[in-house]
Amino acid sequence: MPKHIVSGLKYLTAVELIREGLSQKEVAKILEMDRSTVSHYLNGRNLSWNSIEVAEIITKFCPKDFLTLTYALLNDSEKTRVIVKTCSKKSYKASVEESCIGCGLCVDTCLLNAIVLDDLKARIDSDWCNGCNMCRDVCPTDSIKILEVNNGY
Amino acid sequence: MVTNTKEVKGKDICVQRISPEEKRELAYKDDVCIGCGICAKICPTEAIELGEIGAIERTGVDESKISIDEAKCVLCGMCSSACPVDALDLKLDEKSIKDMAEYPQLIKSAEISDDLCIYCKACETACPRDAITIARILPERSKLVTGEIEIDKDTCISCGICEEMCPADAIEMEHHEPTSSDPTVSSDITVNKDKCVYCLICRKSCPVDAIKAVCRSCSYGDYDLNPEDSETTGSSFIDEEACVNCGWCQEICPVDAATVEKAFEGELTIDQDTCEACGACVEICPCNVLSFPEAEFGEQSDKVQADETYCIYCGACENVCPVEAIDVKRTAVKHTPTKSKSWEKQLSELKT
């Protein structure tokens, strides 16, 4: 069953990436699939429509649930990053205040590897942030602010 | 979720956080800790608590001077940076933050210049932490004296007076029981010229004038001695783990070979009226700043004396004083620069 949901998520990601202009070959490489499988997926073959529905529901979960469930299903950091970022419809602006002590807890927590430490201060790459707020929740000094932007939906 | 693990080995504590990104490890060494509580003061998450150090110090109870709550510790490293004696050390992927330029470090040092040191060992004796070792090579005695000595064995009666008198143990005589075939009492008498200092005691005390000896230094001066041969050489070593940068070595050194830089500046005040002379501060002080003046036999000294010259303003004495008679003020905390505003703030808040 989890395998089917993963297929659904990969399908949604593949469709989105193709729409963004990537070739089937590039999509296959990113998702670590055969090119023929990508082709089958895009034509709606080898995939139960129910898994796509379930996957679509998952992508509409709150960002934290979407991210943690996807990571739990895939157990792979790189593919989780691609799928979550591609299927997330919202953008976020993350900022770190001067009260940050550089403990690195957020770095260790972020499943999208969007945070690095720079001179004892966390720096968040907003392009990769999916607004899960897990970093904000672990921050001992309450230094992280994450705002939703481009809320066109 | 990443969680911390804690390992306690004897009185030492180790808190770890391992993620796919990195391994953070905070190690605490109790035997290095002086119980100042600066770690507890700077900790931004209140994860460190200072124990009852007065009781721990006095009773020798098997307990760490600090405790670390691994559920609260975020392994930021502030305690490690602020510890004046490096009892705490945070390592990121096995590399100490004390070796990383982005982390502020307390500016403190103790050095002994081998160029200036005369190896008198005054610092070694004075160091309250036994952190200094002076290894010295003394000059050879035979190269500091010059002269001649000869014993006329035909005249010598083997009485052994010279052997007994020689202050340098340079004369040796082999005694033996006389027999009818060999009626002598001594088979041989030798002078060890590496030991002889040409003091002429043997010549003067010989009852039969069998010894001819002269001290050339007395007669002609040191012309055939090389001044370099009289120099003591050696090397000095400071155990950085034990050293607390108190400055005893610098103050006691007669040739200014020791240089100490202290991380904190401040002021130490003792309210003599409140002090009950319990001695807890004297025992805890890592720098021998505090002492009781010599009291008459049978009398108890009722005031504690302080010499601030050696104080590092760690505040351990203030922590143990049961009657709050001691006030330690820190007016400056010297550290290497940091770009982090929060670290700057936390470090400057160590000032009181």
Side-chain angles (χ1 to χ4, degrees), chain B residues 183-229:
Chain B
T184 56
V185 288
S186 170
S187 60
D188 204 10
I189 177 164
T190 51
V191 178
N192 183 339
K193 292 205 174 153
D194 285 338
K195 287 182 172 177
C196 177
V197 296
Y198 306 102
C199 68
L200 314 184
I201 296 272
C202 55
R203 192 190 75 187
K204 288 171 192 161
S205 58
C206 177
V208 292
D209 288 335
I211 303 175
K212 289 184 177 60
V214 65
C215 168
R216 211 175 285 138
S217 292
C218 297
S219 316
Y220 308 109
D222 291 341
Y223 74 95
D224 58 352
L225 296 179
N226 183 354
E228 279 175 21
D229 288 339

Side-chain angles (χ1 to χ4, degrees), chain B residues 160-181:
Chain B
I161 291 176
C162 57
E163 186 190 29
E164 266 183 59
M165 291 290 285
C166 179
D169 284 332
I171 301 176
E172 229 170 276
M173 198 175 269
E174 275 178 38
H175 298 272
H176 78 91
E177 291 282 314
T179 57
S180 56
S181 59

Side-chain angles (χ1 to χ4, degrees), chain A residues 4 7-8 44-53:
Chain A
H4 294 107
S7 304
R45 271 181 278 153
N46 286 0
L47 192 70
S48 81
W49 285 105
N50 185 249
S51 14
I52 297 173
E53 275 165 32

